[in-house]
Amino acid sequence: MIEISRKSNLLEQPTYKYDLQDIPQPNLYRDMYNYSEVPKVVFNHRRVPMNMPEDIWITDTSFRDGQQSMAPYTVEQIVDLYKLLSRLGGPYGLIRQSEFFIYTKKDRQAVEKCMELDLKFPEITTWIRAKREDFRLVKELGIKETGILVSCSDYHIFKKMNMTRRQAVDYYLETIREAFEEGVVPRCHLEDITRADFYGFVVPFVNEIMKLSREAGVPVKIRACDTMGYGVPYNGAALPRSVSGIIYGLQQYSGVPSEMLEWHGHNDFYKSVANASTAWLYGACAVNCSLLGIGERTGNVPLEAMVFEYASLKGSMDGMDPTAITEIGRYFRDKMGYNIPPMTPFVGENFNVTKAGIHADGLMKDEEIYNIFDTKKLLGRTPGVAVSKTSGLAGIAYWMNEHYGLCGEEKMSKDTPIVHTLKEWVDEMYADGRTTSLSNKELEDKVRELTSESEQ
């Protein structure tokens, strides 16, 4: 039988219905995941259509996953960062939600303080295990949506939970059903989906969730969690590692609408940003991120990265305020004592600083030559140079102009006498065996010395 699809407006065969495969032994994909070898990327050359939703957005896990890899944030820090997230996301809520732990008294106090701010975005949500006692905490706080951990790979079901697939589904559905009964939107976190039997477990399980949702008249969200960072963005890659295949399959075979579909990735193989963008491109409205990418092991998808991915894909910031990113980075560094690697994009000390003299020469002529975009306008950070043995006259002149705000007739060039004198001093420093860049203070002291000598 064939029928017209309302989605594609084409004649299609009816979607195949997958049943749960309740196998006696776990499927660990040992041909792909041989623990003693690097995980293999397998291709079956099956491609799925790109299906970018009209609206896409970001969700935040800084106060949940982000707190699992460093000292817990104080209530004050959480409140301050939550306000910065709201400012960054803008009036249209492009940072749509932020999820919180609620297990400790401090966790619940932070939630209450943020709720008191009465900010429309990001909406405050929570995260719990699939346990009735956890759900009671959600009800006590009056939260409208909560994440529920529903691990879906046989690594977790058989090895961690000591259950069969059917037992795991029944166990998860108890808490999901309770959320529906209370009118709370459950957000089902399909943990370790990139090692899960997609058609033997994931799709049949999600089908049961969607059926419960329809019966209850309460929406449900599905979060595809690349817990170990195994996902790949490549076209034609085989499941369970294919990001596009996962997103397509959840829509096509489980009927999950784009606005209810979310991607949560980790950066173990440096693919978190590419995978999150792929999830957007193939049909997920939401990607889950953390500030500065801080999270379990190698971290999550950096939220600030997806702000710029959004602008790249949509052609506009749509009301987001990216200058808040600079303030967020400064807050982590100054208020929380967090050491941000200097080369980190957008927030690192050196992300738009050059140490090469030939690059500095280009910056002097037109900063667009060596700066990724107008970082002063978008991030409140002027491109800079670090003076080292490779800076040359151009690098020193650029440093002088940028550091002291010189413009017009005051602006220095490679021919300015003090620039030549500074270069001779710099060359002497490196001739004596120096290997590191000069600090701003060292340069300031030398400039002060030279200018005072010239006045005498």
Side-chain angles (χ1 to χ4, degrees):
M1 179 180 177
I2 57 174
E3 55 189 25
I4 286 284
S5 166
R6 293 181 180 177
K7 183 176 180 181
S8 67
N9 295 314
L10 297 171
L11 286 171
E12 295 182 1
Q13 294 177 335
T15 301
Y16 183 81
K17 301 298 182 184
Y18 290 92
D19 295 322
L20 182 72
Q21 297 176 20
D22 197 20
I23 58 179
Q25 298 296 323
N27 180 0
L28 303 179
Y29 291 97
R30 282 301 183 205
D31 53 345
M32 193 179 297
Y33 297 120
N34 183 337
Y35 190 58
S36 63
E37 298 175 358
V38 175
K40 300 175 181 66
V41 178
V42 179
F43 289 82
N44 58 13
H45 306 290
R46 295 175 187 166
R47 301 187 176 213
V48 297
M50 197 177 288
N51 184 31
M52 179 88 157
E54 182 178 358
D55 294 315
I56 56 174
W57 55 81
I58 297 165
T59 62
D60 171 66
T61 187
S62 300
F63 311 128
R64 199 271 296 179
D65 213 334
Q67 289 200 90
Q68 294 180 165
S69 62
M70 58 186 291
Y73 303 163
T74 66
V75 172
E76 180 184 10
Q77 289 168 346
I78 290 173
V79 171
D80 289 343
L81 290 171
Y82 177 74
K83 288 190 285 189
L84 283 168
L85 276 170
S86 181
R87 184 181 129 201
L88 173 58
Y92 307 117
L94 294 180
I95 300 176
R96 188 67 54 92
Q97 295 176 314
S98 184
E99 61 182 340
F100 290 70
F101 277 133
I102 53 172
Y103 290 115
T104 69
K105 182 179 179 181
K106 187 205 76 177
D107 291 332
R108 292 189 290 276
Q109 185 181 2
V111 170
E112 290 166 352
K113 290 289 184 183
C114 289
M115 291 175 76
E116 287 172 6
L117 296 172
D118 199 28
L119 296 173
K120 185 176 181 180
F121 299 110
E123 178 190 358
I124 293 170
T125 70
T126 57
W127 178 94
I128 62 171
R129 298 160 297 185
K131 294 186 176 181
R132 288 179 177 270
E133 55 268 32
D134 286 11
F135 187 69
R136 281 196 289 271
L137 296 172
V138 175
K139 292 192 291 185
E140 289 170 3
L141 286 167
I143 299 294
K144 297 178 181 178
E145 177 181 318
T146 188
I148 299 174
L149 179 63
V150 288
S151 305
C152 62
S153 77
D154 286 351
Y155 286 85
H156 288 253
I157 294 169
F158 283 81
K159 289 173 167 284
K160 187 173 80 171
M161 300 170 65
N162 294 315
M163 290 183 178
T164 66
R165 290 179 175 182
R166 183 71 253 173
Q167 288 171 334
V169 167
D170 292 341
Y171 174 69
Y172 298 149
L173 290 179
E174 283 185 21
T175 304
I176 295 169
R177 188 177 288 108
E178 184 172 356
F180 284 138
E181 290 172 355
E182 296 293 333
V184 173
V185 174
R187 187 180 60 249
C188 300
H189 291 210
L190 296 170
E191 185 183 20
D192 206 25
I193 197 169
T194 46
R195 286 194 296 183
D197 186 341
F198 191 75
Y199 292 111
F201 180 83
V202 174
V203 167
F205 172 42
V206 175
N207 285 343
E208 293 197 40
I209 297 173
M210 299 303 290
K211 180 182 177 183
L212 279 180
S213 172
R214 290 190 294 271
E215 291 172 350
V218 177
V220 63
K221 291 185 178 177
I222 301 297
R223 177 182 288 183
C225 300
D226 184 18
T227 307
M228 303 293 285
Y230 289 127
V232 294
Y234 314 134
N235 234 331
L239 289 166
R241 297 190 69 177
S242 170
V243 176
S244 57
I246 289 169
I247 300 302
Y248 174 83
L250 288 170
Q251 291 186 299
Q252 182 74 7
Y253 299 108
S254 292
V256 182
S258 288
E259 62 272 18
M260 295 297 164
L261 190 53
E262 184 177 21
W263 177 262
H264 170 98
H266 282 258
N267 200 37
D268 297 75
F269 293 92
Y270 282 106
K271 293 185 177 72
S272 65
V273 173
N275 286 339
S277 299
T278 299
W280 267 343
L281 289 171
Y282 283 86
C285 280
V287 294
N288 189 238
C289 312
S290 71
L291 291 171
L292 311 190
I294 298 169
E296 182 80 348
R297 300 181 317 281
T298 58
N300 297 86
V301 181
L303 186 145
E304 62 278 7
M306 298 314 293
V307 168
F308 287 98
E309 283 289 291
Y310 178 98
S312 296
L313 293 170
K314 287 293 198 177
S316 171
M317 281 287 177
D318 287 336
M320 287 189 287
D321 180 3
T323 62
I325 291 171
T326 299
E327 291 192 35
I328 288 165
R330 190 178 297 125
Y331 191 94
F332 269 92
R333 185 180 61 249
D334 298 342
K335 300 290 186 181
M336 302 172 70
Y338 183 74
N339 182 29
I340 301 174
M343 74 291 293
T344 305
F346 311 131
V347 291
E349 181 182 358
N350 293 335
F351 100 90
N352 66 341
V353 172
T354 182
K355 297 182 181 181
I358 190 170
H359 289 190
D361 187 50
L363 284 172
M364 286 184 67
K365 293 169 180 173
D366 187 335
E367 72 174 46
E368 189 175 352
I369 296 172
Y370 283 113
N371 201 30
I372 57 174
F373 50 68
D374 190 343
T375 54
K376 183 176 177 62
K377 174 186 175 183
L378 295 175
L379 289 166
R381 292 183 59 176
T382 303
V385 297
V387 176
S388 68
K389 65 180 179 180
T390 60
S391 296
L393 292 168
I396 293 170
Y398 187 91
W399 181 87
M400 292 278 288
N401 294 329
E402 189 271 331
H403 191 73
Y404 292 106
L406 304 178
C407 54
E409 294 183 358
E410 294 183 328
K411 196 171 183 179
M412 298 191 180
S413 71
K414 292 187 288 186
D415 299 323
T416 306
I418 192 173
V419 173
H420 280 263
T421 306
L422 268 175
K423 184 180 182 301
E424 291 172 3
W425 172 73
V426 170
D427 290 343
E428 289 173 7
M429 299 278 283
Y430 287 100
D432 286 341
R434 183 178 182 121
T435 58
T436 58
S437 300
L438 284 109
S439 68
N440 285 344
K441 186 177 186 308
E442 287 176 290
L443 290 163
E444 288 169 359
D445 290 344
K446 189 62 181 178
V447 169
R448 195 177 298 113
E449 176 189 322
L450 294 173
T451 51
S452 63
E453 288 176 357
S454 65
E455 292 172 355
Q456 291 177 0

